Amino acid sequence: MTETSPTQLQPEMPPTRWGDPAHAGPLPDGVRDLVGMVFALGDTPAASDVTVPAPALAEQLVEALRGIVGADAVVLDDGVRRLRTRGKSTPDLLRQRAGDLGDAPDVVVRPGSHEEVQAVLDLAQEHRIAVVPFGGGTSVTGGLVSERDGFAGVVSLDLGRMRDLVALDPVSSTATLGPGLRGPEAEALLAERGLMLGHFPQSFEFATIGGFAATRSSGQSSAGYGRFDAMVVGLRAATPKGEVRLGGTSPSNASGPDLRELFLGSEGAFGVITEVTVRVRPLPEVKEYEGWQWPSFEAGAAAMRALAQGDLMPTVLRLSDENETAINLARPDAIGGDAAGGCLMIVGYEGTPAATAAKKAAVTAALAELGGTALGAEPGEAWAHGRFNAPYLRDSLLDVGVLVETLETVTFWSNRDRLYTNVKAALEGALGEGTMVLCHISHVYATGCSLYFTVASSGGEQPLERWLTAKRAVNDAIVASGASITHHHAVGTDHKAWLTPEIGQVGVDVLRAVKRELDPAGILNPGVLIP
Amino acid sequence: MTETSPTQLQPEMPPTRWGDPAHAGPLPDGVRDLVGMVFALGDTPAASDVTVPAPALAEQLVEALRGIVGADAVVLDDGVRRLRTRGKSTPDLLRQRAGDLGDAPDVVVRPGSHEEVQAVLDLAQEHRIAVVPFGGGTSVTGGLVSERDGFAGVVSLDLGRMRDLVALDPVSSTATLGPGLRGPEAEALLAERGLMLGHFPQSFEFATIGGFAATRSSGQSSAGYGRFDAMVVGLRAATPKGEVRLGGTSPSNASGPDLRELFLGSEGAFGVITEVTVRVRPLPEVKEYEGWQWPSFEAGAAAMRALAQGDLMPTVLRLSDENETAINLARPDAIGGDAAGGCLMIVGYEGTPAATAAKKAAVTAALAELGGTALGAEPGEAWAHGRFNAPYLRDSLLDVGVLVETLETVTFWSNRDRLYTNVKAALEGALGEGTMVLCHISHVYATGCSLYFTVASSGGEQPLERWLTAKRAVNDAIVASGASITHHHAVGTDHKAWLTPEIGQVGVDVLRAVKRELDPAGILNPGVLIP
């Protein structure tokens, strides 16, 4: 294990905001002007004085946890428990800002090994302690909110000490990574060896390898490198029934159902992922990003579809709709500045010079023939530069009373326009006049694509209630449109009620059966995922 | 549903041999000479007079089945029941040749719709009748051998009437296919619309869509088009607990565990697959296959690895080892003729002229740089012409007393040579002097590859026992080598005992829990898959 003291936390996000405080700032002038035109800007709400509930776990159980992981790795401190309370959805931030810490864990436990995780689960099973695995704390779907009723207490199982490059097989191009490695740490460990994972979700700076696996994350280079679940070759997990190791023999096989796919997306409800083996790649020698302009969202989407169905995928492929293009959301540093008009597509190429040049030539020819206008490197570089900045902007907008949130879904190509129309209508209907709905496509398959929405509206007197009402309406609209309730944000508690229509009652019964088998006492992230 | 009479069977394979009798023939002279050098040729064993056990299912249950599917679709005929007995492994053929029909089903039931399948399962659950789904009957791992103890009888659930193109979404490039469609039928239905599935396993001529899904089949164009499970977008199944529909919302999502991956590879033990939705592609305008020569298996495998890890995959990629190259097994029509020496690689390109030319240029440059020698189109065309012929050859060899069987496994690249060496040693050790072991790599991943072995040895006095002993030895060797017990032949009954080390006891417990949930009476293909 990496040699860090059990009490030494990595740099943390503030409880009420996204990301690294050093990167945050006041609302840029361009955005302030834009926002001022649309919304009545309010004052920044005062940060509430907040109180963390006292730990409810019995002292002898705290002592037993100390016996497993060491006294230093059992943290009762209020500030740390506040940092382990919920995730980073807009409702989570609003609740933190309002001083609501009712979901704070009783104790933060920081195991240093698979064996320590297993021992914590054994103890938790015996004494009915709820265990919430905690990686980067970046959930935006209520994935870190445990039920409390009937439990002796709630442990936040912080995997931040398990940050090793456990194994590397350069011949097979696989690496085994600790679950607590954040995105940049994992990439840095691999980069020292000339390798790359290539998973860059918006949450990259803070989210972890274990979390990527447990939630089926998808990143901004998914066109070239695939979803995170597609990168996973194997995994190890601790469950109340014992250790599970899957994928150790081979990339793929016909040895029955693929049980890796049960743990991917299991959101801590079936076990705690303690190692993830992924496919790695050589670091790209070349990275080129460029912009293309399309006359409409429809035309740009059709071009994406043609590339995907022709197996001609660049590394990055993203298309903003007219609204998103108009306010430059794909380029957070330039929001409010001049936009190109139409719909902006970002196309990125990474790899060897020869492969990149060949792919770029073929994609360029295809996009030109389909009616796109090449905008050159500048919009692409601007996107690449600002790609992780959007969540910081949300905080600045919340500061001035503007409600901002994102949500996403995925469907088949033939259903894309219907889904787009229905989601926009649901948001505008629920939030009323002055609501801005922006959308982009950022993940593309041969048979379909994701739709990622950003919505901004005035917060009003009760921003939390306003948003929860809108979120219910949009979830209903997604289900009614025949789409998936989530493309890469996972189910958590926020989407749970909409899972049943998607996988059917028999599907839910199967999840419950697996849960009963692996976690008969129901201690693992109770209340998450399974309706 | 396709308008065929319930009693009208499609062309059938003979019970004791592979394939279409019109395509079978005596041993080619070249092979006879080669075989004569190695083995003492025996006489063709006389076909036994065989007796099919009388149907054991009570008449009122037969009548109830008639009430569900119609009288014509409930078949008690001895000849048909013999055709539905076991699959096409060498042990299966030897048992058929020896007149052992102890595993014959009591009745063949031919449902015409999902609803009829569901009603049969409901009846079977109530009366504890074992139900063995039957598609093409091409299993080579004992996937059609039901347990009998404790059951009122065994139904062979023949899906041969469910052969529709149920739905086509040309925008999303998906097709929904009936489970009973054989490979060529499915391709013909799609070809009428300019489309293709692109799944060409050795069993292509007889195996079915439902079987491909239930066993995680992989075909000869997997380098370009992927494994069958990777082509599947959605599926519908009937289970004793009711209907399951999965994948209907989207290509991929983060809505929890991917339950499609539980039904793929479930081998009839969790439910009966009644519809499969797959990605389809435009029919290729160009098909080019060519040969490459490598100085060693090692060098050829390294080249395959470089292509896969460089994401530079042709449509077909196959490499024979020195032994297989020497006897021309990749070109069954030319066995015993001149071989090129070294190791023969087949490389195929399919697609549009532009895409094919670009891919071929890049692959050709890479292979030349890695030390390959281009042999031109002739070996590639010969492979393409004979690609489905090998199983016919097996029958001709069995006729002259030569034991021939195939087996396959998969592992990571760094473990390939160890696995290859250990499997060869196990086969040669178990079967003794004069045993020929041939191998090829036909399925390649970025992180690993399959190994497909063909073994020939004299049958001796007791060919069945000889082979079963060798098979146990090689299964042990595969597990000891850390590889998967099967890459694409599935588990069936033959590999079941070797599944536990691969997925672990907790993994087995999960399969059992899912089985209990979906099939509490245990009527679905009892004895298959789950240890």
Side-chain angles (χ1 to χ4, degrees):
Chain A
M1 289 294 121
T2 305
E3 282 306 315
T4 51
S5 149
T7 50
Q8 179 189 329
L9 301 176
Q10 295 173 276
E12 297 271 340
M13 290 188 277
T16 59
R17 306 179 79 86
W18 176 264
D20 180 349
H23 293 170
L27 210 55
D29 286 347
V31 181
R32 174 168 277 272
D33 294 348
L34 184 79
V35 167
M37 285 188 293
V38 180
F39 310 109
L41 285 192
D43 293 332
T44 303
S48 309
D49 281 352
V50 297
T51 313
V52 184
L57 195 66
E59 177 55 29
Q60 81 268 22
L61 294 178
V62 174
E63 200 52 44
L65 289 166
R66 291 189 184 112
I68 294 168
V69 296
D72 286 355
V74 175
V75 184
L76 296 163
D77 176 78
D78 280 1
V80 173
R81 291 194 298 120
R82 186 178 180 196
L83 290 171
R84 295 292 169 272
T85 305
R86 307 191 195 97
K88 293 292 174 186
S89 67
T90 294
D92 290 344
L93 299 185
L94 291 170
R95 288 188 182 105
Q96 280 272 8
R97 285 171 181 236
D100 170 6
L101 290 177
D103 292 317
D106 295 302
V107 57
V108 176
V109 176
R110 312 189 73 230
S113 67
H114 172 91
E115 290 70 24
E116 289 185 7
V117 172
Q118 185 67 61
V120 169
L121 295 190
D122 294 346
L123 182 82
Q125 176 167 240
E126 188 182 349
H127 297 283
R128 211 171 151 73
I129 306 167
V131 176
V132 181
F134 186 97
T138 61
S139 172
V140 289
T141 57
L144 302 168
V145 183
S146 176
E147 286 174 4
R148 294 197 150 268
D149 277 5
F151 292 98
V154 175
V155 165
S156 174
L157 194 72
D158 179 336
L159 299 161
R161 286 175 64 207
M162 296 174 67
R163 301 208 307 278
D164 274 353
L165 174 59
V166 178
L168 186 70
D169 178 347
V171 173
S172 307
S173 276
T174 64
T176 301
L177 302 170
L181 281 167
R182 293 180 180 180
E185 289 179 312
E187 293 294 359
L189 281 172
L190 293 170
E192 287 172 23
R193 288 134 180 111
L195 299 169
M196 177 188 69
L197 175 56
H199 182 64
F200 304 110
Q202 185 88 74
S203 60
F204 174 70
E205 296 167 279
F206 291 89
T208 58
I209 294 295
F212 295 150
T215 62
R216 294 183 177 273
S217 176
S218 194
Q220 297 168 357
S221 306
S222 63
Y225 303 141
R227 300 165 53 88
F228 190 80
D229 49 20
M231 299 177 181
V232 172
V233 172
L235 50 80
R236 184 184 189 193
T239 80
K241 285 290 289 284
E243 179 184 6
V244 178
R245 277 181 187 271
L246 296 165
T249 64
S250 51
S252 286
N253 57 59
S255 295
D258 191 342
L259 298 179
R260 294 177 295 198
E261 300 284 351
L262 268 185
F263 282 87
L264 294 166
S266 62
E267 303 187 20
F270 292 167
V272 178
I273 294 170
T274 56
E275 287 177 13
V276 183
T277 302
V278 291
R279 175 190 176 182
V280 294
R281 298 161 181 275
L283 278 170
E285 298 164 52
V286 175
K287 293 186 186 185
E288 287 184 48
Y289 311 106
E290 56 180 33
W292 284 78
Q293 187 182 15
W294 297 88
S296 67
F297 197 44
E298 178 72 33
M304 287 177 134
R305 179 168 78 88
L307 293 183
Q309 293 179 350
D311 294 318
L312 190 62
M313 293 283 264
T315 310
V316 172
L317 189 59
R318 172 198 166 111
L319 176 72
S320 294
D321 73 353
E322 289 85 352
N323 284 355
E324 193 176 288
T325 302
I327 74 149
N328 258 339
L329 196 75
R331 304 165 54 181
D333 296 348
I335 286 176
D338 287 341
C343 286
L344 177 66
M345 178 186 281
I346 303 295
V347 185
Y349 308 93
E350 300 180 3
T352 62
T356 302
K359 184 64 72 72
K360 186 176 175 180
V363 171
T364 299
L367 294 182
E369 191 178 324
L370 290 161
T373 304
L375 299 176
E378 194 278 332
E381 298 304 326
W383 166 82
H385 181 251
R387 63 199 288 191
F388 302 122
N389 290 358
Y392 293 98
L393 182 63
R394 176 178 57 166
D395 293 314
S396 308
L397 287 164
L398 287 173
D399 289 345
V400 296
V402 178
L403 189 62
V404 186
E405 183 58 303
T406 62
L407 59 94
E408 37 79 72
T409 176
V410 54
T411 195
F412 295 102
W413 286 115
S414 59
N415 196 40
R416 181 198 58 77
D417 188 55
R418 173 177 166 233
L419 176 63
Y420 176 70
T421 303
N422 290 352
V423 168
K424 280 186 76 160
L427 288 168
E428 289 164 355
L431 293 169
E433 220 169 307
T435 298
M436 277 197 332
V437 181
L438 321 175
C439 182
H440 66 257
I441 298 173
S442 55
H443 305 276
V444 172
Y445 307 88
T447 58
C449 68
S450 71
L451 292 178
Y452 189 98
F453 293 90
T454 302
V455 55
S457 189
S458 64
E461 295 292 306
Q462 301 203 300
L464 179 60
E465 286 66 26
R466 251 174 82 71
W467 177 248
L468 295 180
T469 301
K471 176 77 174 170
R472 279 191 295 273
V474 77
N475 287 352
D476 288 343
I478 287 170
V479 167
S481 304
S484 175
I485 194 63
T486 174
H487 175 259
H488 60 270
H489 281 172
V491 177
T493 48
D494 295 356
H495 293 147
K496 198 169 64 165
W498 290 267
L499 184 62
T500 306
E502 182 159 345
I503 65 172
Q505 188 56 49
V506 176
V508 172
D509 290 344
V510 168
L511 294 183
R512 288 182 181 150
V514 174
K515 171 83 172 173
R516 274 197 308 274
E517 177 62 32
L518 293 174
D519 179 22
I523 56 158
L524 283 170
N525 219 359
V528 163
L529 176 63
I530 304 174
Chain B
M1 286 292 123
T2 304
E3 282 307 313
T4 51
S5 149
T7 50
Q8 179 189 328
L9 301 177
Q10 295 171 276
E12 297 271 341
M13 290 187 278
T16 60
R17 306 180 80 85
W18 177 263
D20 180 349
H23 293 168
L27 211 53
D29 287 346
V31 181
R32 175 167 277 273
D33 293 348
L34 186 78
V35 168
M37 284 189 294
V38 180
F39 311 109
L41 287 192
D43 292 331
T44 303
S48 308
D49 281 352
V50 297
T51 312
V52 185
L57 195 66
E59 177 56 28
Q60 81 268 22
L61 293 177
V62 174
E63 200 53 42
L65 289 165
R66 290 189 185 111
I68 294 169
V69 296
D72 285 356
V74 175
V75 184
L76 295 162
D77 175 78
D78 280 1
V80 174
R81 292 192 298 119
R82 185 178 181 195
L83 290 172
R84 295 293 169 270
T85 305
R86 306 191 196 98
K88 292 292 176 185
S89 68
T90 294
D92 290 344
L93 298 184
L94 291 170
R95 287 187 183 106
Q96 280 272 9
R97 286 172 180 234
D100 169 6
L101 289 178
D103 291 317
D106 296 303
V107 57
V108 176
V109 176
R110 313 189 72 231
S113 66
H114 172 91
E115 291 69 24
E116 289 185 7
V117 172
Q118 185 67 60
V120 170
L121 295 190
D122 294 346
L123 181 83
Q125 177 168 238
E126 186 182 350
H127 297 282
R128 211 173 152 73
I129 306 167
V131 176
V132 181
F134 186 97
T138 60
S139 171
V140 289
T141 57
L144 302 168
V145 184
S146 174
E147 286 174 6
R148 295 197 148 268
D149 277 6
F151 292 97
V154 175
V155 165
S156 174
L157 194 73
D158 179 335
L159 299 161
R161 287 176 63 208
M162 296 173 67
R163 300 208 308 277
D164 275 352
L165 175 59
V166 178
L168 185 70
D169 178 348
V171 174
S172 307
S173 276
T174 64
T176 301
L177 302 170
L181 281 166
R182 292 181 181 179
E185 289 179 312
E187 293 293 0
L189 281 172
L190 293 170
E192 287 172 23
R193 287 132 180 113
L195 298 169
M196 176 188 69
L197 175 57
H199 182 64
F200 305 111
Q202 184 89 73
S203 60
F204 174 70
E205 296 167 278
F206 291 89
T208 58
I209 294 294
F212 295 151
T215 62
R216 295 183 176 272
S217 175
S218 194
Q220 296 168 358
S221 305
S222 64
Y225 303 141
R227 302 164 53 89
F228 190 80
D229 49 20
M231 298 176 183
V232 172
V233 172
L235 50 81
R236 184 184 190 193
T239 81
K241 284 290 288 281
E243 180 184 5
V244 178
R245 276 182 188 269
L246 296 165
T249 64
S250 50
S252 286
N253 55 59
S255 294
D258 191 342
L259 297 179
R260 294 176 296 199
E261 300 284 351
L262 267 185
F263 283 86
L264 293 166
S266 62
E267 302 186 21
F270 291 166
V272 178
I273 294 169
T274 56
E275 288 177 12
V276 183
T277 303
V278 292
R279 174 189 176 182
V280 294
R281 298 161 183 274
L283 278 170
E285 298 164 52
V286 176
K287 293 185 184 185
E288 287 185 46
Y289 310 107
E290 56 180 34
W292 284 77
Q293 187 181 16
W294 296 88
S296 67
F297 198 43
E298 178 73 31
M304 288 177 135
R305 179 167 78 87
L307 292 183
Q309 293 180 350
D311 294 316
L312 191 61
M313 293 283 264
T315 310
V316 173
L317 189 59
R318 173 197 165 110
L319 175 73
S320 293
D321 73 352
E322 290 85 350
N323 284 355
E324 193 176 287
T325 303
I327 76 148
N328 258 338
L329 195 74
R331 304 166 53 180
D333 296 349
I335 286 176
D338 287 342
C343 286
L344 176 65
M345 177 186 283
I346 303 295
V347 185
Y349 308 93
E350 300 180 4
T352 62
T356 302
K359 184 63 73 71
K360 185 175 176 180
V363 171
T364 299
L367 294 181
E369 189 178 325
L370 289 162
T373 304
L375 299 175
E378 195 278 332
E381 299 304 325
W383 166 82
H385 178 70
R387 61 198 292 189
F388 303 121
N389 290 358
Y392 293 98
L393 182 64
R394 176 179 56 167
D395 293 314
S396 308
L397 287 163
L398 286 173
D399 289 345
V400 296
V402 178
L403 189 62
V404 185
E405 183 59 301
T406 63
L407 59 95
E408 38 79 73
T409 175
V410 53
T411 194
F412 295 103
W413 286 114
S414 58
N415 196 40
R416 181 199 58 76
D417 188 55
R418 172 176 167 233
L419 176 63
Y420 176 72
T421 303
N422 291 353
V423 167
K424 281 186 74 158
L427 287 168
E428 288 165 355
L431 292 169
E433 216 168 310
T435 298
M436 276 199 330
V437 181
L438 321 175
C439 182
H440 67 258
I441 298 173
S442 54
H443 305 276
V444 172
Y445 307 88
T447 58
C449 68
S450 71
L451 292 178
Y452 190 98
F453 294 90
T454 302
V455 56
S457 189
S458 63
E461 294 294 305
Q462 301 203 299
L464 179 58
E465 287 66 26
R466 249 173 84 72
W467 176 249
L468 294 180
T469 301
K471 177 75 174 170
R472 279 191 295 274
V474 76
N475 287 352
D476 288 343
I478 286 170
V479 168
S481 304
S484 175
I485 194 64
T486 174
H487 174 259
H488 59 269
H489 281 173
V491 176
T493 49
D494 296 355
H495 292 147
K496 199 168 62 163
W498 290 267
L499 184 61
T500 306
E502 182 159 347
I503 64 171
Q505 188 56 51
V506 176
V508 172
D509 290 344
V510 168
L511 293 183
R512 288 182 181 152
V514 173
K515 172 83 171 172
R516 275 196 308 272
E517 177 62 31
L518 293 174
D519 179 22
I523 56 157
L524 284 169
N525 219 359
V528 163
L529 176 62
I530 304 174

